[in-house]
Amino acid sequence: MKKKRVYKAAAGMLAAGMLLCEILSGTVLQTQIVSGAVPSSEGTETAGGEQVQSENNTVVTRIQAENDAYVTLNPGIGTDMGSSFVVENEAASDEGAHIKTSVIGASVTLRFNGTGVRFYTKKGNGAGNLSVSVDGNVYDDISEYVSGSAQFKTKVFEAENISGENEDHVLVLTTKTAENVGSNFNFDYFEIISEEEEAEYIQSPGDTTY
């Protein structure tokens, strides 16, 4: 597990006798590794996403499908879903919107660092199927089709424990033709699963500050 090192300085240069006294009285910082329970980080903003859960040494970060810090769209976002992705404003979607397209062969590529990933989207009676791969490994197709009323923020794919620790991964979703389903494809958001990083506190020498 990766560890983040945080440096704190001792308070100034001390004479040998005074330093010994402070060590004995416990006032000099000693090296320690913080472990165990971590306060919940729900709602904490991270780089390009929102950390929505932090417990049991696992962090879940929500990433919108149009977040170009993590996601590459092919084709890009435009105004015609017949030739591009478009933004669809719907209050029931996460953050009030999702992206969609009707282009066959369009792809959504998510690059992330972690141990697992989930994909949530809108399902509807005009929606179609997606092929899915993670790090080149092909999974069963995803169906976004549902008869009757639309279903929002529905988990349609999950791959956990794809690595034993936080590593770089690539998820690719591609629109495809299929019988007896529609040709509209929706993309709402992803959840990236990663290990909590431990913080390691190390005493720095003298009055050095970092």
Short mmCIF file of all heavy atoms in Angstrom, two decimals, residues 18 20 55 61-62 90 93 102 109 117 125 128-129 142 145-146 148 150 153 168 185 187:
data_model
loop_
_atom_site.label_atom_id
_atom_site.label_comp_id
_atom_site.label_asym_id
_atom_site.label_seq_id
_atom_site.Cartn_x
_atom_site.Cartn_y
_atom_site.Cartn_z
N MET A 18 18.85 19.85 27.41
CA MET A 18 17.44 20.20 27.24
C MET A 18 16.75 19.21 26.31
O MET A 18 15.60 18.84 26.52
CB MET A 18 17.32 21.63 26.69
CG MET A 18 17.80 22.70 27.65
SD MET A 18 17.74 24.35 26.90
CE MET A 18 15.98 24.50 26.62
N LEU A 20 17.49 16.06 25.87
CA LEU A 20 17.26 14.82 26.59
C LEU A 20 16.05 14.94 27.49
O LEU A 20 15.21 14.03 27.57
CB LEU A 20 18.51 14.46 27.41
CG LEU A 20 18.39 13.20 28.30
CD1 LEU A 20 18.12 11.99 27.42
CD2 LEU A 20 19.66 13.00 29.10
N GLU A 55 -14.22 4.55 3.92
CA GLU A 55 -14.33 3.69 5.08
C GLU A 55 -13.65 2.36 4.78
O GLU A 55 -13.50 1.97 3.64
CB GLU A 55 -15.80 3.45 5.46
CG GLU A 55 -16.64 2.84 4.36
CD GLU A 55 -18.09 2.66 4.77
OE1 GLU A 55 -18.75 3.65 5.08
OE2 GLU A 55 -18.53 1.50 4.78
N THR A 61 -14.53 7.43 -5.55
CA THR A 61 -14.55 8.77 -6.14
C THR A 61 -15.46 8.77 -7.36
O THR A 61 -15.30 7.95 -8.26
CB THR A 61 -13.13 9.20 -6.56
OG1 THR A 61 -12.26 9.12 -5.43
CG2 THR A 61 -13.13 10.63 -7.08
N ARG A 62 -16.41 9.69 -7.38
CA ARG A 62 -17.38 9.77 -8.48
C ARG A 62 -16.85 10.67 -9.58
O ARG A 62 -16.40 11.79 -9.34
CB ARG A 62 -18.72 10.29 -7.97
CG ARG A 62 -19.82 10.34 -9.03
CD ARG A 62 -21.12 10.81 -8.42
NE ARG A 62 -21.53 9.90 -7.35
CZ ARG A 62 -22.42 10.22 -6.41
NH1 ARG A 62 -22.97 11.43 -6.39
NH2 ARG A 62 -22.75 9.34 -5.49
N GLU A 90 -31.28 16.38 -17.52
CA GLU A 90 -32.40 15.68 -16.90
C GLU A 90 -32.18 15.69 -15.40
O GLU A 90 -31.14 15.26 -14.90
CB GLU A 90 -32.52 14.25 -17.42
CG GLU A 90 -33.03 14.15 -18.84
CD GLU A 90 -33.48 12.75 -19.20
OE1 GLU A 90 -32.63 11.97 -19.66
OE2 GLU A 90 -34.67 12.45 -19.04
N SER A 93 -30.85 12.63 -13.50
CA SER A 93 -29.47 12.18 -13.71
C SER A 93 -28.57 12.76 -12.63
O SER A 93 -28.91 13.75 -11.97
CB SER A 93 -28.96 12.61 -15.09
OG SER A 93 -29.67 11.95 -16.11
N SER A 102 -26.04 8.52 -30.54
CA SER A 102 -26.61 7.41 -31.32
C SER A 102 -25.60 6.91 -32.36
O SER A 102 -25.95 6.15 -33.26
CB SER A 102 -27.91 7.85 -32.01
OG SER A 102 -27.68 8.93 -32.89
N THR A 109 -13.69 6.36 -22.98
CA THR A 109 -12.49 5.74 -22.39
C THR A 109 -12.17 6.42 -21.07
O THR A 109 -11.93 7.63 -21.02
CB THR A 109 -11.29 5.85 -23.34
OG1 THR A 109 -11.60 5.21 -24.58
CG2 THR A 109 -10.06 5.19 -22.72
N VAL A 117 -13.78 -0.37 -10.51
CA VAL A 117 -14.56 0.68 -11.16
C VAL A 117 -16.00 0.23 -11.29
O VAL A 117 -16.30 -0.97 -11.41
CB VAL A 117 -13.96 1.01 -12.56
CG1 VAL A 117 -14.03 -0.20 -13.49
CG2 VAL A 117 -14.63 2.23 -13.18
N ASN A 125 -36.26 2.62 -22.91
CA ASN A 125 -36.78 1.71 -23.94
C ASN A 125 -36.26 2.04 -25.33
O ASN A 125 -36.59 1.34 -26.29
CB ASN A 125 -38.30 1.69 -23.92
CG ASN A 125 -38.91 3.07 -24.10
OD1 ASN A 125 -38.27 3.98 -24.61
ND2 ASN A 125 -40.16 3.22 -23.65
N GLY A 128 -29.55 1.10 -26.19
CA GLY A 128 -28.94 -0.07 -26.81
C GLY A 128 -27.91 -0.74 -25.93
O GLY A 128 -27.95 -0.64 -24.70
N ASN A 129 -26.94 -1.42 -26.57
CA ASN A 129 -25.92 -2.20 -25.87
C ASN A 129 -24.54 -1.57 -26.02
O ASN A 129 -24.25 -0.88 -27.00
CB ASN A 129 -25.87 -3.64 -26.40
CG ASN A 129 -27.10 -4.44 -26.00
OD1 ASN A 129 -27.98 -3.95 -25.30
ND2 ASN A 129 -27.14 -5.68 -26.45
N ILE A 142 -22.92 -4.74 -22.00
CA ILE A 142 -23.83 -4.03 -21.11
C ILE A 142 -25.10 -3.69 -21.88
O ILE A 142 -25.04 -3.19 -23.00
CB ILE A 142 -23.20 -2.71 -20.62
CG1 ILE A 142 -21.98 -2.99 -19.74
CG2 ILE A 142 -24.23 -1.86 -19.88
CD1 ILE A 142 -21.19 -1.75 -19.42
N TYR A 145 -30.99 -1.18 -22.15
CA TYR A 145 -32.41 -1.25 -22.50
C TYR A 145 -33.26 -1.69 -21.31
O TYR A 145 -32.88 -2.56 -20.53
CB TYR A 145 -32.62 -2.24 -23.65
CG TYR A 145 -34.08 -2.45 -23.99
CD1 TYR A 145 -34.74 -1.54 -24.83
CD2 TYR A 145 -34.79 -3.53 -23.47
CE1 TYR A 145 -36.09 -1.72 -25.13
CE2 TYR A 145 -36.13 -3.71 -23.78
CZ TYR A 145 -36.77 -2.80 -24.59
OH TYR A 145 -38.11 -2.97 -24.89
N VAL A 146 -34.40 -1.05 -21.17
CA VAL A 146 -35.40 -1.48 -20.22
C VAL A 146 -36.77 -1.11 -20.78
O VAL A 146 -36.93 -0.04 -21.37
CB VAL A 146 -35.19 -0.85 -18.82
CG1 VAL A 146 -35.35 0.66 -18.86
CG2 VAL A 146 -36.14 -1.46 -17.79
N GLY A 148 -40.72 0.00 -20.57
CA GLY A 148 -41.44 0.85 -19.63
C GLY A 148 -40.68 2.13 -19.32
O GLY A 148 -39.95 2.67 -20.16
N ALA A 150 -38.15 5.00 -17.82
CA ALA A 150 -36.69 5.11 -17.72
C ALA A 150 -36.23 4.91 -16.28
O ALA A 150 -36.95 5.23 -15.33
CB ALA A 150 -36.24 6.47 -18.23
N LYS A 153 -29.50 6.64 -12.95
CA LYS A 153 -28.41 6.36 -12.02
C LYS A 153 -28.36 4.86 -11.66
O LYS A 153 -28.19 4.49 -10.51
CB LYS A 153 -28.51 7.24 -10.78
CG LYS A 153 -28.29 8.70 -11.09
CD LYS A 153 -28.19 9.58 -9.85
CE LYS A 153 -29.52 9.84 -9.21
NZ LYS A 153 -29.45 10.88 -8.16
N ASP A 168 -2.72 1.91 -12.40
CA ASP A 168 -3.36 2.57 -13.53
C ASP A 168 -4.14 1.55 -14.35
O ASP A 168 -3.64 0.45 -14.64
CB ASP A 168 -2.32 3.26 -14.42
CG ASP A 168 -1.67 4.45 -13.74
OD1 ASP A 168 -2.30 5.02 -12.82
OD2 ASP A 168 -0.55 4.82 -14.13
N PHE A 185 -27.55 5.73 -26.66
CA PHE A 185 -26.62 5.25 -25.64
C PHE A 185 -26.36 6.37 -24.64
O PHE A 185 -26.03 7.49 -25.01
CB PHE A 185 -25.32 4.80 -26.30
CG PHE A 185 -25.53 3.81 -27.42
CD1 PHE A 185 -25.64 4.24 -28.73
CD2 PHE A 185 -25.64 2.46 -27.15
CE1 PHE A 185 -25.85 3.34 -29.78
CE2 PHE A 185 -25.86 1.55 -28.18
CZ PHE A 185 -25.96 1.99 -29.50
N PHE A 187 -24.61 7.82 -20.87
CA PHE A 187 -23.44 7.71 -20.00
C PHE A 187 -23.58 8.76 -18.91
O PHE A 187 -23.59 9.96 -19.20
CB PHE A 187 -22.14 7.93 -20.78
CG PHE A 187 -21.98 7.00 -21.96
CD1 PHE A 187 -22.56 7.31 -23.18
CD2 PHE A 187 -21.27 5.81 -21.84
CE1 PHE A 187 -22.43 6.46 -24.27
CE2 PHE A 187 -21.14 4.95 -22.92
CZ PHE A 187 -21.73 5.28 -24.14
#
